[in-house]
Amino acid sequence: DGGITQSPKYLFRKEGQNVTLSCEQNLNHDAMYWYRQDPGQGLRLIYYSQIVNDFQKGDIAEGYSVSREKKESFPLTVTSAQKNPTAFYLCASSGGRLQPQHFGDGTRLSIL
Amino acid sequence: GEDVEQSLFLSVREGDSSVINCTYTDSSSTYLYWYKQEPGAGLQLLTYIFSNMDMKQDQRLTVLLNKKDKHLSLRIADTQTGDSAIYFCAERESRYGNKLVFGAGTILRVKS
């Protein structure tokens, strides 16, 4: 089945630790996105990539980093500089500028 | 900047119609979307409407767009308990490719 796979489903971070969230898609989509969701709020864009080897900051990029070495993969690293990382993280992809975004099932990140 | 607003909560009885409302600010938005999120899951694309349309119907779902008032609504006919979820309205930001701006979500509770 074609889709977007996020892993792990749950992740725990210790103080001062970097953690990486995986996002893989087999939809052959060019564009990929990372969002953060906090309770009672809409989704906020962290980073996005419209093509391999290129990515742009979204509205809340501080404390996060990404890479886009392959079309199907867009991992997100939550660095120790992100002081409030506890949230639900959603990855999305779209097939083109006029195509809607489709989402993975999310990763819930918590602090130990 | 762009902003999308939704009412926070809606409660209906099973079999009734539900109407979820949304207002947006970007008058040059080209596409507007409705997503559904069930507990602990990612976002599922329900439907979307192009800005030159007034209405779109898809089985039990009807989307109405009033571009003059920048108002979007989602009507769910014959609401079922399985429709209980959070519904997000989103507009595609006109200046930066396929970036989406989300509302905070409307919690729909369906009582049997």
Side-chain angles (χ1 to χ4, degrees), chain B residues 3-27:
Chain B
D3 194 20
V4 176
E5 293 191 357
Q6 302 178 236
S7 52
L8 290 181
F9 186 76
L10 176 66
S11 179
V12 300
R13 293 197 177 278
E14 192 174 18
D16 288 350
S17 292
S18 308
V19 180
I20 302 171
N21 294 300
C22 169
T23 57
Y24 60 97
T25 57
D26 185 358
S27 58

Side-chain angles (χ1 to χ4, degrees), chain B residues 38-85:
Chain B
E38 296 184 6
L43 271 65
Q44 173 195 350
L45 177 66
L46 285 178
T47 187
Y48 59 100
I49 189 167
F50 189 55
S51 58
N52 68 355
M53 299 168 65
D54 298 324
M55 184 182 87
K56 180 179 180 181
Q57 186 152 4
D58 184 1
Q59 299 182 335
R60 291 191 297 123
L61 304 179
T62 302
V63 178
L64 294 178
L65 175 61
N66 180 330
K67 200 171 177 186
K68 174 176 167 289
D69 294 338
K70 300 193 194 100
H71 182 267
L72 183 74
S73 67
L74 174 70
R75 179 178 180 269
I76 306 173
D78 187 25
T79 313
Q80 302 298 306
T81 54
D83 295 323
S84 293

Side-chain angles (χ1 to χ4, degrees), chain A residues 59-74:
Chain A
D59 300 316
I60 55 164
E62 187 176 345
Y64 300 97
S65 66
V66 293
S67 62
R68 187 85 188 276
E69 297 175 2
K70 298 186 296 183
K71 186 175 186 177
E72 55 271 20
S73 179
F74 191 40

Side-chain angles (χ1 to χ4, degrees), chain A residues 28-71:
Chain A
N28 200 33
H29 284 172
D30 284 317
M32 297 186 74
Y33 309 81
W34 273 106
Y35 292 91
R36 170 181 172 137
Q37 184 180 23
D38 293 282
Q41 297 189 36
L43 279 65
R44 292 182 290 167
L45 184 65
I46 305 173
Y47 268 98
Y48 64 104
S49 167
Q50 295 187 332
I51 198 167
V52 174
N53 292 322
D54 186 46
F55 49 83
Q56 286 80 40
K57 292 182 179 179
D59 300 316
I60 55 164
E62 187 176 345
Y64 300 97
S65 66
V66 293
S67 62
R68 187 85 188 276
E69 297 175 2
K70 298 186 296 183
K71 186 175 186 177

Side-chain angles (χ1 to χ4, degrees), chain A residues 12-24:
Chain A
F12 297 91
R13 194 191 90 167
K14 295 179 183 177
E15 291 287 337
Q17 186 182 45
N18 293 351
V19 292
T20 297
L21 285 61
S22 170
C23 178
E24 304 275 332

